Amino acid sequence: MQAERKAGWRLQILIALVGLIILVPFAWMVATGLMTTGQTLMVPPNLIPSPPTFDGISEVFNRVPFATLLVNTIAVSFGRAMGTLVICAMAAYALAIIKVPGTSAILVGILVLIMVPGDIFIVPNFAIIASFRMTDTLVALFLPSLFDVFGVFLLYQFFRGVPRELIEAARLDGASHLRILVTIVVPVARSGILSLAILSVLSEWKDLLWPLVVNRSIDKLTLGPGLALLRGVYTTDWNVVMAAGAMAALPMVAIFLILQKQFITSFARSGLK
Amino acid sequence: MLQTNRRAFLAMATTAALLSTSAAGTALAADINLTLMIWDPAQKAGVQMAVDAFEAAHPNIAVSLEQVPQDQYYVKLDASLGAGEGPDVMWQSSKASYYVDGGALEPLDAYMAKDGLSLAGYKKVIADLYSLGGHQYGIPKDFDAWTFVYNASLLKDLGIAAPSANWTWEDMVRIAGEVKEKRTSSAVVPLYYNYSFNNGVASLVHALGSSVIADGQGRMSSPEGIQALGMIKALQDSGLILKVADSTDFNPVNALLSGKLALAEIPSWNLSLLSKSDAPAGTFGVVHLPAVNGSWANDTNGLSYVMNVNSRHKEESWELIKFLTSDAGAALHAQGGAALPANTAPEARAAFVATNGKLAGLEAALDAASAQSYLRTTTAHPKVLSAMPQISSAVMGEFYSDALSASDAAQRIDALLNGALR
């Protein structure tokens, strides 16, 4: 009993330490965001703003259209999540449920593509978007990401777990593939759907290179590249960058706190972290 | 009657709407939108001032100034130019030759001939950089000069005399040593000397009377090359500069601004960051690099404005380039806080000095630096660009951490340079 209690204390200390390691950088970001530029240059660095100031926050709004960037990010993240879910779900259904001819070869192709760094597709993607005359638009930010091979593979794994009997019963009742997908497969595999939605939103939220490459106007950018514009080449006002970073992270933190239970369940089931 | 009036009103309103739409369309068609792409946010205000003046002089042309972070600048250029798009006008560096080879840049000879623009009014060494294959592709924007900035207030507080205009390497070592001895906190760093191979070491080699590359071969194994390596290493070993291994994140401009650094080698493009700070006038003083054997050789390079070969508005793009690099344009750049103008007009130089007037001794230091500048090794020999990361990490890193002697480091550097030059 005593040994168990001892082990419990150790575990709690370990959890507290890990929690601290995760939270300290975030706390430092918030603290730096509440400093003046002069305070951020102190050697050794101050961890607590003295006195705290909102100069960094107001400077963010002076230098970039933060509200526009935030609205763009929300719109683009939502568009990407919805589009990715529709396309990946249909592709995964074709591979896992219908088992179209050449499924094995397609899956090998998907695995190969997952292993290729995404940045090498930037130049061809730009050429495609430019040929559609869609550069410098919000749609250009997420259109190439809709065809997400990782998403197809993830949903394929979930869809394989849907009981075959349910599908066959629905087919016998004359249900179309679309109806089976929407009314049977998606509800049964909702953990996978939610996981993919979260991953898509997170990925879009922090995307940096593609938005900078494909769009020109600052009012057509998202938070990631918008914040990157605050960084200087030789010197940077870190209080401004950190204030912007903290404000950009806040919506995601709020969403996580509200949907905490669903997130953990979904990721536990999907085996992702 | 009422119905007739209503019809007449509707007809008039429709006609008015059509006319206004048509007029707006005509106005829109007359407007030309140019895109100008740069990477340095610190220079954006200066470029914007010049752009505003250009737009005022050309009411039918609008210029969208686009600043892309430097890390993504060339990725964006590669993607957009490869797809036949991209900005109309952009900054280019010594990488311009790659874009000329790829057919992405417009030769400017015909435009220059038409307007009688001569390159005599620009730093020749920079103008020549953008003359490739017998064509001129860029009009020089700025050039680099290296200076030494000292914190006069800090030195005064410590009771140490500031560097004189004709100071030497020995003076620098002495002053830094005094700072180390008298400093009130170990957080105060006596000196920042550029320890990188391409800038600091190479400049010392030139000051000692040799060069890094001669006759297509690496020459670091020369006595001057080995001596230069040893001189910078001695600064580190005596604690006058921070250990190189601990200096990755050390920013000399920030350290000067925070009053924690006494002396620092600072390039001209960073001077406006000091002069635009809240520090009162006279806080910082500027001198040329400390003389070694009577020389303060320092490397130079420079950016230019170039035109996209796919620009749909080439005449207007040329007008923009011409204005931005003109005497007036260069002066406006300088007023906003940018790099040292490559335009040699007195008004452009005067604007730069006046804008940075809080830095005592700036003009004399710049004149001295310009007089002894040489073309940066990687700019004069672009082939060795590929060897630089390996020299920095595999050779210089080991050398500064005592794992390699100066002569062994010099030999390895020569081997890497020769490999790249082949």
Side-chain angles (χ1 to χ4, degrees):
Chain A
M1 185 68 182
Q2 206 173 2
E4 265 180 36
R5 201 177 289 166
K6 214 173 185 179
W9 274 109
R10 281 181 188 157
L11 188 66
Q12 282 189 22
I13 290 170
L14 186 70
I15 290 169
L17 276 175
V18 173
L20 211 62
I21 290 168
I22 294 168
L23 284 177
V24 161
F26 189 78
W28 197 355
M29 175 171 76
V30 174
T32 309
L34 295 173
M35 291 179 187
T36 60
T37 304
Q39 287 175 33
T40 64
L41 299 175
M42 298 297 282
V43 181
N46 274 342
L47 298 181
I48 297 166
S50 170
T53 168
F54 292 113
D55 288 0
I57 295 170
S58 63
E59 193 57 27
V60 172
F61 289 95
N62 287 339
R63 296 194 195 177
V64 292
F66 189 84
T68 307
L69 295 173
L70 181 62
V71 170
N72 287 353
T73 310
I74 293 168
V76 168
S77 300
F78 182 77
R80 172 165 170 180
M82 290 300 108
T84 304
L85 287 179
V86 170
I87 290 168
C88 292
M90 290 200 292
Y93 182 88
L95 295 171
I97 309 294
I98 302 175
K99 294 188 192 302
V100 293
T103 292
S104 302
I106 294 169
L107 283 171
V108 170
I110 285 173
L111 281 172
V112 169
L113 283 171
I114 288 174
M115 292 172 210
V116 177
D119 289 353
I120 68 163
F121 295 113
I122 282 188
V123 174
N125 277 343
F126 186 94
I128 293 167
I129 294 293
S131 69
F132 293 162
R133 298 193 178 282
M134 286 177 70
T135 56
D136 209 25
T137 62
L138 288 181
V139 175
L141 294 177
F142 65 86
L143 189 59
S145 314
L146 299 184
F147 310 94
D148 181 1
V149 282
F150 172 75
V152 175
F153 187 72
L154 182 70
L155 292 188
Y156 167 79
Q157 296 292 351
F158 275 94
F159 289 3
R160 277 176 68 196
V162 176
R164 198 75 206 160
E165 296 77 16
L166 285 176
I167 312 288
E168 282 164 7
R171 291 295 290 165
L172 284 174
D173 287 344
S176 67
H177 283 305
L178 189 62
R179 189 178 175 87
I180 294 171
L181 172 66
V182 173
T183 58
I184 297 175
V185 177
V186 167
V188 171
R190 63 181 177 279
S191 298
I193 298 284
L194 189 57
S195 300
L196 182 57
I198 293 166
L199 290 173
S200 301
V201 169
L202 279 176
S203 179
E204 193 61 49
W205 201 274
K206 61 186 183 183
D207 201 2
L208 172 67
L209 187 57
W210 173 247
L212 274 175
V213 168
V214 77
N215 282 359
R216 294 186 300 275
S217 319
I218 193 158
D219 61 343
K220 295 287 191 305
L221 290 179
T222 48
L223 281 169
L227 266 51
L229 294 176
L230 295 171
R231 219 186 111 221
V233 176
Y234 308 107
T235 59
T236 300
D237 293 333
W238 288 111
N239 57 328
V240 180
V241 176
M242 292 300 148
M247 288 194 294
L250 274 180
M252 290 309 283
V253 173
I255 290 170
F256 177 78
L257 291 176
I258 294 164
L259 300 175
Q260 199 176 152
K261 202 173 167 186
Q262 288 89 330
F263 275 22
I264 292 165
T265 312
S266 151
F267 280 102
R269 282 187 190 163
S270 67
L272 293 166
K273 59 176 186 167
Chain B
M1 182 66 186
L2 187 66
Q3 199 165 5
T4 310
N5 284 346
R6 208 179 266 168
R7 274 183 189 160
F9 174 75
L10 278 173
M12 279 168 63
T14 309
T15 310
L18 281 172
L19 281 172
S20 64
T21 311
S22 153
T26 311
L28 208 63
D31 284 341
I32 290 162
N33 291 295
L34 297 179
T35 314
L36 168 63
M37 202 161 104
I38 66 170
W39 66 68
D40 186 2
Q43 298 195 41
K44 192 176 178 184
V47 179
Q48 187 65 60
M49 282 177 78
V51 164
D52 291 345
F54 173 79
E55 286 180 328
H58 301 80
N60 63 324
I61 305 175
V63 181
S64 166
L65 176 59
E66 187 186 341
Q67 180 246 320
V68 178
Q70 193 175 21
D71 293 344
Q72 287 83 32
Y73 185 83
Y74 284 103
V75 179
K76 187 176 174 80
L77 268 193
D78 291 348
S80 56
L81 294 177
E85 292 213 350
D88 297 283
V89 178
M90 69 203 98
W91 280 5
Q92 264 298 350
S93 63
S94 48
K95 289 182 179 173
S97 59
Y98 300 114
Y99 291 88
V100 170
D101 291 345
L105 303 184
E106 174 85 357
L108 302 177
D109 311 76
Y111 303 94
M112 290 167 64
K114 183 193 70 179
D115 289 346
L117 181 80
S118 159
L119 291 174
Y122 301 89
K123 275 268 173 189
K124 184 175 183 320
V125 69
I126 307 301
D128 289 349
L129 276 180
Y130 300 96
S131 173
L132 299 154
H135 295 287
Q136 189 70 31
Y137 286 91
I139 307 296
K141 168 190 169 289
D142 57 47
F143 79 101
D144 304 341
W146 291 81
T147 60
F148 240 87
V149 176
Y150 58 90
N151 189 325
S153 304
L154 180 64
L155 291 178
K156 193 178 171 192
D157 290 347
L158 296 176
I160 300 168
S164 62
N166 56 350
W167 74 326
T168 62
W169 182 271
E170 290 72 28
D171 293 332
M172 180 188 80
V173 172
R174 178 181 50 77
I175 294 171
E178 284 182 48
V179 173
K180 187 186 170 195
E181 199 179 303
K182 295 180 178 176
R183 63 187 170 182
T184 50
S185 156
S186 60
V188 173
V189 179
L191 173 69
Y192 173 81
Y193 194 91
N194 192 317
Y195 54 80
S196 73
F197 171 71
N198 199 26
N199 301 115
V201 176
S203 292
L204 261 185
V205 174
H206 279 261
L208 289 164
S210 185
S211 62
V212 172
I213 294 169
D215 304 324
Q217 294 284 316
R219 289 282 182 265
M220 274 304 289
S221 298
S222 64
E224 293 84 0
I226 295 168
Q227 189 184 346
L229 286 167
M231 286 168 75
I232 298 183
K233 177 87 170 5
L235 295 177
Q236 175 196 255
D237 294 348
S238 55
L240 299 182
I241 61 172
L242 288 176
K243 280 199 173 300
V244 170
D246 303 333
S247 298
T248 318
D249 293 329
F250 183 75
N251 185 317
V253 173
N254 280 350
L256 278 170
L257 290 172
S258 64
K260 300 295 182 188
L261 177 61
L263 306 153
E265 185 180 354
I266 300 289
S268 51
W269 67 85
N270 273 357
L271 291 171
S272 68
L273 298 170
L274 294 167
S275 60
K276 283 179 178 293
S277 72
D278 297 334
T283 303
F284 300 114
V286 189
V287 285
H288 63 64
L289 265 56
V292 178
N293 292 348
S295 165
W296 49 86
N298 62 112
D299 63 80
T300 191
N301 188 27
L303 303 182
S304 72
Y305 282 106
V306 299
M307 192 197 301
N308 183 351
V309 76
N310 294 313
S311 171
R312 293 181 189 90
H313 309 290
K314 290 185 179 174
E315 285 299 330
E316 292 78 8
S317 295
W318 166 247
E319 287 300 320
L320 177 61
I321 291 175
K322 199 171 65 174
F323 181 81
L324 293 176
T325 55
S326 67
D327 299 357
L332 287 166
H333 270 78
Q335 282 170 30
L340 199 54
N343 185 313
T344 54
E347 66 184 274
R349 165 60 74 91
F352 185 83
V353 172
T355 305
N356 297 291
K358 280 165 72 176
L359 307 177
L362 176 65
E363 191 165 14
L366 288 176
D367 287 343
S370 307
Q372 294 209 8
S373 62
Y374 71 93
L375 204 54
R376 190 170 299 157
T377 310
T378 44
T379 308
H381 307 277
K383 277 185 175 179
V384 301
L385 264 172
S386 60
M388 286 301 154
Q390 218 177 336
I391 290 174
S392 296
S393 58
V395 184
M396 297 303 288
E398 284 195 30
F399 169 64
Y400 285 125
S401 60
D402 279 331
L404 213 57
S405 70
S407 56
D408 287 345
Q411 278 180 15
R412 284 206 200 174
I413 291 169
D414 279 343
L416 287 166
L417 291 173
N418 293 337
L421 286 165
R422 261 182 227 123

